[in-house]
Amino acid sequence: MAVLQMLLLLCAGSSLAEDLFSPNVDIIAELEKLKTMDERIKKLEETLSKVLSENEVKKVAFSVGLLESGTGHTGPTNSQKTLVYKKVFSNIGGAYDSNTGIFTAPIKGVYYFRFYGHCQGGKTMAVSLLKNGATQCSLHAWIKPTSNGNASNGVVLTLEIGDQISTHLWENTWIYDDPASYTSFGGFLIFPL
């Protein structure tokens, strides 16, 4: 076995030596090919790194409740009012602003949003979800004086970078928040485009 391996090494070495010292092989040209190949490999590695970072999965999600304390009502107002959800349960990606109540899309993609409203008996509740100021969907509750009401709605939207999503309380309506039944708003990126 050892003799066979030695014989194979000798043949391979002999063949290599013949190729390197052959008058048909330009060693300088071969070295230049290796140099340009190294440069090409570096460029490929840079391109691959860039593509991988661009295709990294972006995580965007938020879940918020209307009032920091979790108790109380908002309304009625004599004009439409942007609801500002102060109780932030999560804000992955930081796209929800708890000072303004506005979600701003950080990347182009398809998003899912859901909002929930709670209303006490004898009150009327109406809330709309807006994309860049245009109503996309709404929820309503017109309640008998002796019972409470809840409503929820959701929507899937394609957003561009910078598109803004918010919820608005209609004029002359109320919305109530309590710890057992948070009036809430949330959303997440389904997939980037």
Side-chain angles (χ1 to χ4, degrees):
M1 183 76 159
V3 174
L4 181 61
Q5 288 175 339
M6 192 64 115
L7 185 58
L8 287 173
L9 278 172
L10 190 56
C11 288
S14 166
S15 174
L16 257 173
E18 186 178 307
D19 285 346
L20 287 175
F21 296 110
S22 166
N24 296 334
V25 175
D26 182 358
I27 293 176
I28 302 295
E30 294 300 316
L31 288 173
E32 284 299 316
K33 284 182 188 177
L34 288 174
K35 183 178 176 183
T36 60
M37 188 178 291
D38 186 47
E39 290 171 0
R40 288 174 53 204
I41 288 172
K42 284 181 183 177
K43 285 182 182 177
L44 283 172
E45 287 173 342
E46 290 170 3
T47 302
L48 179 61
S49 177
K50 183 179 176 185
V51 167
L52 288 175
S53 69
E54 287 174 356
N55 289 331
E56 207 174 276
V57 175
K58 308 287 185 197
K59 294 182 180 177
V60 180
F62 73 101
S63 177
V64 293
L66 187 59
L67 301 175
E68 186 74 45
S69 65
T71 57
H73 67 271
T74 301
T77 62
N78 49 2
S79 64
Q80 189 178 67
K81 174 185 172 76
T82 300
L83 292 173
V84 179
Y85 299 81
K86 293 290 189 183
K87 179 69 174 173
V88 177
F89 299 106
S90 66
N91 193 9
I92 299 165
Y96 175 76
D97 184 339
S98 62
N99 293 313
T100 63
I102 296 173
F103 170 87
T104 304
I107 63 171
K108 182 178 179 177
V110 177
Y111 292 80
Y112 174 78
F113 296 97
R114 175 158 290 287
F115 58 114
Y116 169 85
H118 179 70
C119 186
Q120 290 184 321
K123 307 285 188 208
T124 301
M125 173 188 63
V127 178
S128 293
L129 182 135
L130 284 69
K131 172 186 172 185
N132 298 328
T135 299
Q136 303 299 304
C137 60
S138 300
L139 58 85
H140 309 275
W142 285 267
I143 309 303
K144 295 178 184 177
T146 58
S147 64
N148 293 336
N150 300 305
S152 179
N153 207 342
V155 64
V156 174
L157 298 171
T158 300
L159 301 182
E160 299 290 330
I161 294 172
D163 280 349
Q164 295 187 330
I165 303 295
S166 58
T167 61
H168 293 244
L169 182 65
W170 292 14
E171 63 184 80
N172 300 316
T173 66
W174 298 75
I175 195 161
Y176 190 76
D177 195 38
D178 68 52
S181 164
Y182 272 109
T183 290
S184 59
F185 176 35
F188 59 89
L189 173 67
I190 298 172
F191 59 88
L193 295 174

